[in-house]
Amino acid sequence: MHHTPCDKRELLSQFLTFLPKNAVLSEPEDLHPYECDGLSAFRHLPMMVVLPESVAQVQQIMRVCYERRVPVIARGAGTGLSGSALPDDHSVLLSLSKLNRILELDPLSRTARIEPGVRNLAITEAASQYGLYYAPDPSSQIACSIGGNVAENSGGVHCLKYGLTVHNVLALKVVMVTGELLHIGSGALDSPGYHLLALMHGSEGMLGIVVEVLVKLVPKPNDIQVLLITFDDVAQAGRAVNTIIESGILPSGLEMMDQLAIRAAEDFCHAGYPTDVAAILLCELDGTTEEVDEHVKKVEQLMQNCGALAVRVAKTEAERILFWKGRKSAFPAVGRLSPDYYCMDGTIPRRHLAAVLTRLNELSQEYNLPIANVFHAGDGNLHPLIMYDANIPGELARTEELGGKILTLCVEMGGTITGEHGVGVEKINQMCDQFASAELQQFHAIKEAFDPLRLLNPGKAVPTLHRCAELGAMHVHHNQLPHSDLPRF
Amino acid sequence: MHHTPCDKRELLSQFLTFLPKNAVLSEPEDLHPYECDGLSAFRHLPMMVVLPESVAQVQQIMRVCYERRVPVIARGAGTGLSGSALPDDHSVLLSLSKLNRILELDPLSRTARIEPGVRNLAITEAASQYGLYYAPDPSSQIACSIGGNVAENSGGVHCLKYGLTVHNVLALKVVMVTGELLHIGSGALDSPGYHLLALMHGSEGMLGIVVEVLVKLVPKPNDIQVLLITFDDVAQAGRAVNTIIESGILPSGLEMMDQLAIRAAEDFCHAGYPTDVAAILLCELDGTTEEVDEHVKKVEQLMQNCGALAVRVAKTEAERILFWKGRKSAFPAVGRLSPDYYCMDGTIPRRHLAAVLTRLNELSQEYNLPIANVFHAGDGNLHPLIMYDANIPGELARTEELGGKILTLCVEMGGTITGEHGVGVEKINQMCDQFASAELQQFHAIKEAFDPLRLLNPGKAVPTLHRCAELGAMHVHHNQLPHSDLPRF
């Protein structure tokens, strides 16, 4: 699938028959901003970048590429953390950034119809005047776009209560690899036919190009309270998470930070966290005033029974925002403490939290690499940050090995190798651990059903069986249902 | 794909090498109970019925049928209303009824791992001792099984707040057409790879055989209140539904009945409904006591502003159950008033309720056939019951024509041809109205990815393009995103 310079010139001039000059980039200096997404360890220049401004242009681009058998890599805001939008030199990078209009916002149906390049936070900003907001809130929400959110099935702090992107999207328009336009989903709760709507979520640009999204909006809660709960033991904090959820209360956010993360965040933005504790939980409760009051009291009581050192309710809106600011800046804050860090993303069944946190601490000591933990505790989505120095010979390799062990641990616990960052190029090898060949084969059959020539984002997300065999990973722990024969802690 | 008697004898004896004698039925008198599902207008004897008792037996059955190229039709409890489980004389009917064990119920993770033949209500009964229940509650929940619920993506009264089956299932084990076992989903909120979990939901036995289901359980609410709200105008009741939802309150059930349905139900089970009103709404609110009290007051006020005649809150648990009993028995109650009735199932965007109810009344007069309306108003899922007499020449044909007009109306309004009953054989022609050829082609490609020989439930749910062309339906209203260029009312 390698192309000659001549092919490239021809492709360029064909694009220019229907795209304005500034919508086609091919000079190296113009291509550099597109050489990586948020996974900056992987970089490559694309052959060319196209920036369509309409659905019709996207369709024309796809038709041209399909006829010429040129691979296409879709790119949203480029904030992805697993390299799903990593270009290569024989592919066209299709940026959806200029498709950035909110087409319709209907406060009565509580929906917004938007183009894929609209930023996640811009939806909430536009809906705010009606007392509505868009629930999924990945940390990158200022920058990331809804098209990318669909491609990665993004989550965020609120997904514990309000679900992932797939739970908040009602319908899609998708341009197929052939250029044909597909209408998927409807305004109704369910649609006849196979569930193509969910299938597009998390498909990382490998099945089609999302060009329009109908999202659900939800009413802003009357009341929100945040509790800061402190512990002198990490495993105890993990058990407290389960106690809250098992009580029947569903917090709108339930986040955990360990001492390294707390100190980094506090030092960075003075959120008012105590720095002498082993772990904190941030528990956000939303709903009607009466409901929130009742739940705050119940959580306070539960946490005292769980051995919490202290429970502090944010007294003012300013304090509540400050509590969250510390959490949200934890990644860059840890970045200040260490020349480099590697942000992991995996999930485990929530009931194993205490055991896994203990094991992470052991692994950290074994590898002599500090791990800061700051994560979505309520849904068991871990984000261990391995701190290392790439300038120390061998430290990067040791970090990657440790990272691999952490993901294997997640799979062994009945969890997954990615919670919300996707597979991309970063975790393609771990897919061989996560799945048996039957599941991988079925993924390839699905791909074939949408893109038999494999022109859409080739080489990402789903490894070939050959690759898994070469990795020697075909003795897989396959993706078993929990509770069957998993180790118990 | 027609088989000789010899083929049948060979198949039978091959099954008997690994199945007990009473697990293979082939005598006509044994086959009769399986000749139809809940759509009794369509009947056909299967070639043979097999009743496996283990996943391994299901795998063996599939291996045998795959090798011999014998089609397989899966059947749950047989309560489906669209003929998804309709057999034919060259297919094996695979009943999952003996796979009926609850394998594990974990109150801490709030999950139950169950076999497909377990009845929907049996899950809630088993979970009840832990204060938990399984939320989706189709009207047939006493009898219908979880495997069938997955195949049809079943809803129920509570799906407005708690979602469809797809929103309440975490993982599946599926036997593929080849006999291979697939592990889909996990205990985590999201799994890497394509979203096979959602894809199996509503796939009507055409992609694989579900042999194990991991369902979510939810805590029973502290408090439940039901309001009976009466109106002297059906369209006004439709607008009131929107007023409630737009206020930000999400009822756990919001059902509507018109006068014909009210009178039938009241006459049948004395639920205490007033019979002189044009329509009633049943609005169920659940949550903490404080939350429910607040919402009850708010709904009362909203309904007074909407011109409701009266709002009655069920005073006792007995009265609450009675209010629901009337609703739940409305179908058989209408059945007592008319020699025959045809239960329709379609959805519309909720904001068009008033206009569609008005139009249904006009259609009823045009065709001189009474229509009783009793339906899930909150999610726009209509169930018009057309009352007719099959003994009057031409009346069945007129009923079917009217039914077709109602479904076309749903599609024109931006809705769908089925809300929760599936497509099966009943609505396969209407799929040509619902979808354009691009979407139908994609459905066939998905089918090909799972079952290239088309052995699983052939001829159901997804029409061939040829069939649509013959119906002359390729001038389709395709399944547009709502709000684009739909008629407004």
Side-chain angles (χ1 to χ4, degrees), chain B residues 55-101:
Chain B
V55 174
Q57 284 179 356
V58 175
Q59 290 184 277
Q60 273 181 294
I61 291 165
M62 291 312 302
R63 268 184 231 117
V64 167
C65 290
Y66 186 71
E67 274 160 25
R68 293 176 168 270
R69 307 294 190 249
V70 177
V72 175
I73 297 163
R75 179 186 167 102
T79 54
L81 291 169
S82 60
S84 301
L86 179 72
D88 60 51
D89 56 17
H90 51 278
S91 298
V92 167
L93 191 75
L94 172 58
S95 166
L96 281 310
S97 62
K98 288 190 179 175
L99 286 168
N100 63 357
R101 291 170 305 164

Side-chain angles (χ1 to χ4, degrees), chain A residues 294-307:
Chain A
E294 188 187 327
H295 285 173
V296 166
K297 276 187 213 121
K298 199 166 166 190
V299 171
E300 283 179 321
Q301 201 167 53
L302 289 170
M303 292 301 94
Q304 273 146 20
N305 300 343
C306 278

Side-chain angles (χ1 to χ4, degrees), chain A residues 355-427:
Chain A
V356 169
L357 291 169
T358 303
R359 181 72 190 124
L360 284 180
N361 188 38
E362 290 165 10
L363 283 169
S364 167
Q365 284 168 11
E366 244 173 72
Y367 280 81
N368 196 25
L369 290 167
I371 299 178
N373 282 294
V374 42
F375 61 99
H376 310 308
D379 45 352
N381 184 186
L382 305 176
H383 289 312
L385 303 175
I386 308 175
M387 296 156 77
Y388 70 101
D389 183 348
N391 289 322
I392 298 175
E395 197 148 306
L396 173 60
R398 251 178 38 248
T399 299
E400 287 178 340
E401 193 185 312
L402 172 54
K405 286 230 169 154
I406 291 173
L407 294 183
T408 304
L409 178 65
C410 290
V411 175
E412 282 171 358
M413 291 284 147
T416 62
I417 57 164
T418 166
E420 53 181 12
H421 295 174
V423 176
V425 292
E426 188 200 18
K427 289 183 179 167

Side-chain angles (χ1 to χ4, degrees), chain B residues 2-15 47-48 68 70 89:
Chain B
H2 284 269
H3 298 268
T4 65
C6 170
D7 290 336
K8 186 179 155 181
R9 273 201 307 277
E10 275 180 24
L11 183 62
L12 196 67
S13 60
Q14 197 173 355
F15 280 149
M47 172 171 64
M48 199 177 294
R68 293 176 168 270
V70 177
D89 56 17

Side-chain angles (χ1 to χ4, degrees), chain A residues 104 106-111 113 152-153 159-160 164 166-167 171-173 176 180-196 198-199 201-203 206-207 212 214 219 222 245-249 288-291 294-295 347 350-351 379 414 416-419 423 431 434-435 437-439 441-447 449-450 462 478-484 488, chain B residues 104 106-111 113 152-153 159-160 164 166-167 171-173 176 180-196 198-199 201-203 206-207 212 214 219 222 245-249 288-291 294-295 347 350-351 379 414 416-419 423 431 434-435 437-439 441-447 449-450 462 478-484 488:
Chain A
E104 188 170 2
D106 180 347
L108 299 189
S109 301
R110 291 219 203 105
T111 54
R113 196 162 58 87
E152 303 292 335
N153 196 13
C159 70
L160 175 62
L164 300 166
V166 69
H167 304 112
L172 293 173
K173 285 186 188 166
M176 307 295 292
E180 197 156 17
L181 190 64
L182 214 60
H183 297 76
I184 298 178
S186 70
L189 197 53
D190 192 19
S191 283
Y194 300 124
H195 211 314
L196 303 184
L199 196 54
H201 284 81
S203 65
M206 294 178 65
L207 303 183
E212 196 177 303
L214 182 72
N222 293 349
I245 306 279
E246 284 156 18
S247 77
I249 293 172
T288 63
T289 307
E290 292 78 359
E291 186 186 8
E294 188 187 327
H295 285 173
T347 72
R350 196 176 44 230
R351 69 181 185 286
D379 45 352
T416 62
I417 57 164
T418 166
V423 176
M431 287 289 278
Q434 179 88 70
F435 294 106
S437 61
E439 287 92 33
Q441 264 168 339
Q442 198 50 53
F443 291 150
H444 286 293
I446 294 284
K447 170 74 171 171
F450 283 82
V462 183
H478 56 70
N479 181 37
Q480 276 150 326
L481 291 185
H483 325 298
S484 41
R488 293 289 190 149
Chain B
E104 188 169 3
D106 181 347
L108 299 189
S109 300
R110 290 219 202 104
T111 54
R113 196 163 59 88
E152 302 291 337
N153 196 13
C159 70
L160 175 63
L164 300 166
V166 68
H167 303 111
L172 294 173
K173 285 186 189 168
M176 307 295 292
E180 197 155 17
L181 190 64
L182 214 60
H183 296 77
I184 298 178
S186 69
L189 198 53
D190 192 21
S191 284
Y194 301 123
H195 210 314
L196 303 185
L199 196 55
H201 284 80
S203 65
M206 294 178 64
L207 303 183
E212 196 177 304
L214 182 72
N222 293 350
I245 305 279
E246 284 157 19
S247 77
I249 293 172
T288 64
T289 307
E290 292 77 1
E291 186 186 7
E294 188 188 328
H295 285 174
T347 73
R350 196 176 45 230
R351 70 182 185 287
D379 46 350
T416 62
I417 56 163
T418 167
V423 176
M431 287 289 279
Q434 180 88 69
F435 294 105
S437 61
E439 287 93 33
Q441 265 168 337
Q442 197 52 52
F443 291 150
H444 286 295
I446 294 284
K447 169 74 171 170
F450 283 81
V462 184
H478 58 70
N479 182 36
Q480 276 151 327
L481 289 184
H483 326 298
S484 42
R488 293 291 190 147

Side-chain angles (χ1 to χ4, degrees), chain B residues 269-289:
Chain B
C269 72
H270 312 292
Y273 299 162
T275 52
D276 55 346
V277 299
I280 62 171
L281 292 181
L282 286 175
C283 176
E284 182 180 278
L285 300 164
D286 72 0
T288 64
T289 307

Side-chain angles (χ1 to χ4, degrees), chain A residues 7-21 23-26 47-52 57-66 68 70-72 91-94:
Chain A
D7 290 337
K8 186 178 155 180
R9 273 201 306 276
E10 276 180 23
L11 184 62
L12 197 66
S13 60
Q14 197 173 354
F15 280 148
L16 289 171
T17 61
F18 61 88
L19 290 174
K21 208 155 183 297
V24 189
L25 311 178
S26 64
M47 172 171 64
M48 197 178 295
V49 176
V50 288
L51 297 130
Q57 284 179 356
V58 175
Q59 289 184 277
Q60 273 181 293
I61 290 165
M62 291 313 301
R63 268 184 232 116
V64 167
C65 290
Y66 186 71
R68 292 176 169 270
V70 177
V72 175
S91 298
V92 166
L93 190 76
L94 173 58

Side-chain angles (χ1 to χ4, degrees), chain B residues 289-356:
Chain B
T289 307
E290 292 77 1
E291 186 186 7
V292 172
D293 284 352
E294 188 188 328
H295 285 174
V296 166
K297 276 186 214 123
K298 199 164 166 190
V299 171
E300 283 179 322
Q301 201 168 53
L302 288 170
M303 292 301 93
Q304 274 147 19
N305 300 343
C306 279
L309 295 170
V311 183
R312 257 170 65 198
V313 186
K315 283 189 199 69
T316 60
E317 177 67 4
E319 192 178 27
R320 185 177 78 79
I321 289 168
L322 198 58
F323 280 1
W324 277 124
K325 192 179 167 201
R327 162 63 184 88
K328 285 185 180 173
S329 61
F331 285 21
V334 168
R336 292 166 76 221
L337 298 187
S338 171
D340 303 285
Y341 71 91
Y342 186 27
C343 169
M344 308 293 301
D345 170 47
T347 73
I348 53 163
R350 196 176 45 230
R351 70 182 185 287
H352 294 320
L353 265 180
V356 169

